[in-house]
mmCIF file of all heavy atoms in Angstrom:
data_model
loop_
_atom_site.group_PDB
_atom_site.id
_atom_site.type_symbol
_atom_site.label_atom_id
_atom_site.label_comp_id
_atom_site.label_asym_id
_atom_site.label_seq_id
_atom_site.Cartn_x
_atom_site.Cartn_y
_atom_site.Cartn_z
ATOM 1 N N LYS A 34 118.183 119.453 104.119
ATOM 2 C CA LYS A 34 118.935 118.219 104.437
ATOM 3 C C LYS A 34 118.634 117.142 103.386
ATOM 4 O O LYS A 34 119.559 116.451 102.941
ATOM 5 C CB LYS A 34 118.623 117.736 105.823
ATOM 6 C CG LYS A 34 119.237 118.563 106.918
ATOM 7 C CD LYS A 34 118.840 118.036 108.287
ATOM 8 C CE LYS A 34 119.404 118.936 109.373
ATOM 9 N NZ LYS A 34 119.010 118.474 110.715
ATOM 10 N N LEU A 35 117.383 116.998 103.010
ATOM 11 C CA LEU A 35 117.026 115.991 102.040
ATOM 12 C C LEU A 35 117.577 116.310 100.636
ATOM 13 O O LEU A 35 118.052 115.429 99.930
ATOM 14 C CB LEU A 35 115.503 115.837 101.976
ATOM 15 C CG LEU A 35 114.859 115.189 103.190
ATOM 16 C CD1 LEU A 35 113.340 115.296 103.142
ATOM 17 C CD2 LEU A 35 115.304 113.711 103.325
ATOM 18 N N ARG A 36 117.566 117.608 100.280
ATOM 19 C CA ARG A 36 118.151 117.972 98.979
ATOM 20 C C ARG A 36 119.628 117.704 98.959
ATOM 21 O O ARG A 36 120.195 117.236 97.985
ATOM 22 C CB ARG A 36 117.836 119.443 98.687
ATOM 23 C CG ARG A 36 116.400 119.670 98.195
ATOM 24 C CD ARG A 36 116.231 121.083 97.650
ATOM 25 N NE ARG A 36 116.428 122.110 98.625
ATOM 26 C CZ ARG A 36 115.502 122.573 99.461
ATOM 27 N NH1 ARG A 36 114.274 122.109 99.406
ATOM 28 N NH2 ARG A 36 115.793 123.521 100.306
ATOM 29 N N THR A 37 120.316 117.999 100.069
ATOM 30 C CA THR A 37 121.746 117.725 100.171
ATOM 31 C C THR A 37 122.038 116.249 100.127
ATOM 32 O O THR A 37 122.946 115.805 99.371
ATOM 33 C CB THR A 37 122.315 118.336 101.476
ATOM 34 O OG1 THR A 37 122.069 119.739 101.484
ATOM 35 C CG2 THR A 37 123.788 118.056 101.642
ATOM 36 N N LEU A 38 121.287 115.434 100.817
ATOM 37 C CA LEU A 38 121.441 113.999 100.774
ATOM 38 C C LEU A 38 121.239 113.484 99.366
ATOM 39 O O LEU A 38 122.006 112.654 98.861
ATOM 40 C CB LEU A 38 120.467 113.306 101.747
ATOM 41 C CG LEU A 38 120.475 111.795 101.692
ATOM 42 C CD1 LEU A 38 121.806 111.238 102.223
ATOM 43 C CD2 LEU A 38 119.345 111.234 102.549
ATOM 44 N N GLU A 39 120.195 113.997 98.721
ATOM 45 C CA GLU A 39 119.903 113.581 97.360
ATOM 46 C C GLU A 39 121.062 113.874 96.442
ATOM 47 O O GLU A 39 121.528 113.009 95.659
ATOM 48 C CB GLU A 39 118.623 114.332 96.868
ATOM 49 C CG GLU A 39 118.090 113.862 95.578
ATOM 50 C CD GLU A 39 117.292 112.588 95.673
ATOM 51 O OE1 GLU A 39 116.816 112.211 96.757
ATOM 52 O OE2 GLU A 39 117.138 111.956 94.637
ATOM 53 N N GLN A 40 121.558 115.103 96.479
ATOM 54 C CA GLN A 40 122.658 115.517 95.634
ATOM 55 C C GLN A 40 123.996 114.821 95.948
ATOM 56 O O GLN A 40 124.721 114.405 95.030
ATOM 57 C CB GLN A 40 122.845 117.048 95.679
ATOM 58 C CG GLN A 40 123.795 117.606 94.638
ATOM 59 C CD GLN A 40 123.278 117.346 93.252
ATOM 60 O OE1 GLN A 40 122.109 117.397 92.967
ATOM 61 N NE2 GLN A 40 124.211 117.079 92.347
ATOM 62 N N ASP A 41 124.269 114.657 97.204
ATOM 63 C CA ASP A 41 125.586 114.135 97.602
ATOM 64 C C ASP A 41 125.659 112.609 97.621
ATOM 65 O O ASP A 41 126.750 112.039 97.450
ATOM 66 C CB ASP A 41 125.966 114.671 98.999
ATOM 67 C CG ASP A 41 126.222 116.146 99.028
ATOM 68 O OD1 ASP A 41 126.313 116.771 97.966
ATOM 69 O OD2 ASP A 41 126.339 116.707 100.133
ATOM 70 N N ALA A 42 124.526 111.921 97.810
ATOM 71 C CA ALA A 42 124.561 110.483 97.991
ATOM 72 C C ALA A 42 123.709 109.735 96.983
ATOM 73 O O ALA A 42 124.168 108.859 96.245
ATOM 74 C CB ALA A 42 124.142 110.097 99.381
ATOM 75 N N THR A 43 122.437 110.114 96.862
ATOM 76 C CA THR A 43 121.505 109.344 96.054
ATOM 77 C C THR A 43 121.829 109.467 94.585
ATOM 78 O O THR A 43 121.943 108.462 93.863
ATOM 79 C CB THR A 43 120.065 109.794 96.284
ATOM 80 O OG1 THR A 43 119.803 109.682 97.673
ATOM 81 C CG2 THR A 43 119.096 108.970 95.510
ATOM 82 N N VAL A 44 122.021 110.688 94.046
ATOM 83 C CA VAL A 44 122.291 110.865 92.640
ATOM 84 C C VAL A 44 123.573 110.150 92.222
ATOM 85 O O VAL A 44 123.554 109.407 91.220
ATOM 86 C CB VAL A 44 122.304 112.366 92.277
ATOM 87 C CG1 VAL A 44 122.847 112.554 90.847
ATOM 88 C CG2 VAL A 44 120.937 112.967 92.419
ATOM 89 N N PRO A 45 124.674 110.294 92.919
ATOM 90 C CA PRO A 45 125.881 109.564 92.522
ATOM 91 C C PRO A 45 125.695 108.039 92.602
ATOM 92 O O PRO A 45 126.198 107.316 91.698
ATOM 93 C CB PRO A 45 126.947 110.012 93.539
ATOM 94 C CG PRO A 45 126.487 111.330 94.028
ATOM 95 C CD PRO A 45 124.982 111.234 94.011
ATOM 96 N N PHE A 46 124.978 107.544 93.614
ATOM 97 C CA PHE A 46 124.747 106.104 93.721
ATOM 98 C C PHE A 46 123.923 105.596 92.533
ATOM 99 O O PHE A 46 124.264 104.603 91.922
ATOM 100 C CB PHE A 46 124.034 105.775 95.040
ATOM 101 C CG PHE A 46 123.641 104.333 95.173
ATOM 102 C CD1 PHE A 46 124.588 103.397 95.530
ATOM 103 C CD2 PHE A 46 122.350 103.945 94.870
ATOM 104 C CE1 PHE A 46 124.256 102.047 95.642
ATOM 105 C CE2 PHE A 46 121.978 102.600 94.956
ATOM 106 C CZ PHE A 46 122.923 101.659 95.372
#
Side-chain angles (χ1 to χ4, degrees):
K34 286 178 185 179
L35 290 171
R36 283 191 297 273
T37 299
L38 176 66
E39 188 79 19
Q40 190 62 36
D41 293 349
T43 305
V44 170
F46 175 80

